Amino acid sequence: LRQVAALLAHHPVLDRQRAIVTTAITNLDLHDISRSAYTFGLTTLFVAHPIAAQRVLAERVREHWVTGSGQRRIPDRKPPMEILRVVESIDVALDELGGADSVEIWVTGASSNEGPLLEHDAARLLLREPGKPVLIVFGTGWGLADAICQRAAARLSPIVSPRADGYNHLSVRAAAAIIFDRLLGDRAAR
Ligand code: SAM
């Protein structure tokens, strides 16, 4: 199985008007997505933020559950938080995974009109063939900016809705868990 890591991006991401913005880190994202990432065997959940004060906050949350009173109170929370890595940018994450040239970025998003898509079943098979480590990138705000999407080797197809109006704007927490299960979940367990 290829190494899979994930990254939650807070810049450059889009706002409602599709302007480039920087969003604040949501604590819930740290707990929720690292637990999903750990459950499905990802090696690392990177949380990228360009502002040092935001990274300090995220590190403090991490420390609380890895070495602080959180770890003593609820030891089960420790392993997922240990795979959390707070970094300044996607470039730092790529360097930690072996360098931009030896990592494939797969981006995600709710919209399906942004170029060729990698279906989840095909992605699942690709992860089971020899290949570079994969970094699955999730956005915040109203989604990832083009600057990130342009660097991607693939864009995972969106999780689609059976609704007539196609509403599929999931929280990033829900989207990450669904995608991790589809790509890495143990089908036999169903
Ligand atoms: N602020 C909200 C939140 O709390 O999550 C906004 C959602 S967040 C921008 C949307 C991100 O979640 C996208 O960048 C993508 O990574 C993921 N996402 C949301 N809906 C999705 C879908 N239907 N299919 C795939 N990814 C989705």
Side-chain angles (χ1 to χ4, degrees), residues 4 27 32 67 86 89 96 101 113 124 127 131 161 170 182:
V4 183
N27 273 357
D32 197 287
T67 56
V86 183
S89 71
E96 293 196 9
D101 294 342
N113 53 6
R124 185 179 175 86
L127 292 180
S161 161
L170 296 164
R182 288 193 179 170

Side-chain angles (χ1 to χ4, degrees), residues 10 19 33 46 54 60 79-80 96 98 100-102 106 112 122 126 132 139 159 162 168 170-171 175:
H10 294 84
I33 307 175
F46 292 98
Q54 284 279 297
R60 198 172 296 155
E96 293 196 9
D101 294 342
S102 55
W106 293 1
S112 52
L126 278 178
K132 297 176 180 177
I159 299 156
N168 72 335
L170 296 164
S171 76

Side-chain angles (χ1 to χ4, degrees), residues 1-4 40 106 120-131 180-187:
L1 195 63
R2 291 166 69 173
Q3 180 187 359
V4 183
F40 290 105
W106 293 1
H120 298 165
D121 285 346
R124 185 179 175 86
L125 291 175
L126 278 178
L127 292 180
R128 284 156 176 74
E129 292 166 4
F180 293 162
D181 180 44
R182 288 193 179 170
L183 268 54
L184 296 161
D186 180 347
R187 289 278 189 274

Side-chain angles (χ1 to χ4, degrees), residues 31-55:
H31 289 277
D32 197 287
I33 307 175
S34 51
R35 208 176 320 173
S36 296
Y38 187 79
T39 298
F40 290 105
L42 280 80
T43 56
T44 316
L45 169 65
F46 292 98
V47 171
H49 205 290
I51 299 169
Q54 284 279 297
R55 294 197 299 276

Side-chain angles (χ1 to χ4, degrees), residues 108-110 138-144 158-159 168-173 175 179:
T108 61
F138 296 91
T140 51
W142 268 261
L144 294 168
I159 299 156
N168 72 335
H169 296 278
L170 296 164
S171 76
V172 65
R173 295 162 298 283
I179 285 173

